[in-house]
Amino acid sequence: MSRFLYGIAIVLMVVISTSCEMLDVHPHSVHITGARNVNAQNIKQIEELCASKDTIRFVLTGDTQSWYDETCDMVRCVNSLGDIDFVVHGGDVSDYGMTEEFMMQRDIFQGFNCPFVTIIGNHDCLGTGEQAYEAIFGATNFTFKAGKVRFICLNTNAMDFGFPEDVPDLNYMQQLLDESKSDSTWQYTVVSMHVQPATVVFNNKVMDQFEEYVRSYPKTLFCTAAHDHYLSATDIFGDGIVYHRSTSMDDRTITLITIMGGTYEYEYITF
Amino acid sequence: MKIRIVAIVLFLSSILIGAKAVNIDTCHITVYDTIRVVVYDTMRVSMQSALRRDAASIVTILESTSADTITRQMGHTIRYVNWWAKMIPRMTTVQFAGNMGFASLGLGWKYGRRDQMESSVLVGIVPKHDSNRAKLTMTFKQNVVPFHLEPHEKVHFVPITLGGYVNMVFGDEFWTNQPDRYPSGYYWFSTRFRFNLCVGQRIEFNIYDSRIENFHRNVGVFYEFSINDLYMIEAIKNQRHLKLKDYLTLSLGITLQLF
C-alpha cells in the first residue's frame, strides 16, 4: 500500500511539474519558454523593411526594469504614433537579472507593431541575467543596417564584469571598422549602448579609444544611451557627436528620432 | 583515533549494561513518548552488536555489578540519549519547484507543544536549462501548522500551513553583498539570498504496518504557494499588468515522518 502511494505521488509530481507554468524552479534558472533569439529575427525584419528608405524614424527607449504597467503604456503609445520603423531598447530590461523578468518584458515588447532591438544593460548582467539575455535576445554586441544607416549596439556595462578588456569590445569595433571600408552602402553610423562614456559603469580607461572608433566610422550621426533615468543630449568629447540618453519608464517619456540623409531630428514624447 | 574508539566502546557498553539489567519497557523511558522508539532501537542495536562481539566478558561485568549502580547509570544514559534524541531529524521532505530548485531534498524537525512547529533544511538542484551549468541551492524553511483535522484515524488533514524560507544559491555569479567594484549602495539587494513567504495545505496518511515493520510512520503530500521579496515588490509596483500567476509560485512535495 505504502509503495503504491509513493509511486502515485512521484508520478503526479513529475507530470505536474513539467506541465504547470507556476512551478517556478528558481529566479535565476534561465529556463526560457517562448521566443528566443529575438534580436536576430527583428533585425531581419528591419533590414528588409528599411532597405530602400532614406528617412528612418525610430523610437529610443530603455530602462523598463520592473515597470511593466508603464512599459505596456509605452508600447501602446509607440503603436499609436504609426509609421515607426523600429524601436531601440537601450538596456535594463530586467531589474534583478531574474529570468522571469526578461520573459515578461519580451512578451510586452512583442506587442510593438514594428520590429525592436534590445541592448544589454547593467541590471541585465546580475546573477544569470547575461545568460538569460543571450538566450532570449542574442549576442551582447550586434549590428544591423536600416537603409544606409548602420546601427552598432554595444555592451558597455564594464563595472558589472569587473572592468574586463572586452567590455566595450574594441576588437569588435575594429572588425566593423575594417568592414566599413569595403561596404559602399554603409553611409551613416549610429552607435547605441546602455552606459555612455565618462560614467561610473563605463570602462573609462578606454574611453578615448572608444570615441576614436566612434568617430572613425562612416559619418557617425550620434550615439544613443540609457541608464541614468533622465533625458539628455550631451556632446561628451566636444567632437560634435551627441550622446542621446533615453529615460526610464517611470518618467513616461520616449525619444523619437528621425534620420533624413545626413541629418536627424529628435523629439520627446510623453505618454 | 584510538581514544575515540575506546570512548565509543565505553559509551555503548554503558548503554548495554543499563539496557540489559533493567527491563526497558517498564522503566521511566516512556516519559518521552515520541522518542521512545529511537532510544529503544539505539540500545537494542548496540546491545546486539556488542553481545555478538564479546558476550562472555559482558556477562561477567553484569554479574559483578550491583543493581543500584546499574540503575544510576541507566538514568544518566537515558537522560543523555534523550537530550540528543531531540536533535534527530524526524522528517524527510522532497519538494518540487518553489523557487528553490527543480527538486529539493531535506531533513526536518518537529517541535512545540503539539508539534506545531517545523523547521527544515533542504538542498536543491537547479538544472542547467540555458545557463552555463546546473546550480545547487540551500533552503532554510520554517513552517507553522496551527491545527489539523482527523477525518479518519489514519488520515491527518492540515487545512493551512504558514511559513517562510530563505533560499541561497551557490555560484560565483551570485553575491550576498555587492562586490567591491560597485560604489557603495549601488545595488541594495542580494542576488544570492531570496526571502520567501508561503502558505499551503497538506494531507498525511499513517502508513505504519506492524506486519511489515516499515521504516516510516507517516507520509504526507503537500502543496504550497509562495512569493519572494523581489516578486512582491514587482507585484506591488505593477498591479495592472501582473497577474497572480506571474508572481506566485507553486510547489509540490512529499514529507515522510519517521516517528
Side-chain angles (χ1 to χ4, degrees), chain A residues 71-86:
Chain A
T71 308
C72 289
D73 295 341
M74 185 268 288
V75 170
R76 267 193 291 277
C77 167
V78 171
N79 288 346
S80 72
L81 292 174
D83 197 27
I84 300 292
D85 293 314
F86 56 92

Side-chain angles (χ1 to χ4, degrees), chain A residues 24-25 68-69 101 159-160, chain B residues 99 101 181-182 234 238 241:
Chain A
D24 296 326
V25 166
Y68 302 97
D69 284 356
E101 295 181 281
M159 189 165 75
D160 292 84
Chain B
N99 278 335
R181 59 178 185 266
Y182 296 110
E234 298 203 332
N238 299 281
H241 181 69

Side-chain angles (χ1 to χ4, degrees), chain A residues 25-46:
Chain A
V25 166
H26 195 270
H28 289 285
S29 64
V30 200
H31 179 35
I32 312 294
T33 50
R36 288 157 180 269
N37 227 351
V38 174
N39 277 349
Q41 292 162 17
N42 281 281
I43 285 170
K44 206 174 156 213
Q45 288 180 38
I46 295 171

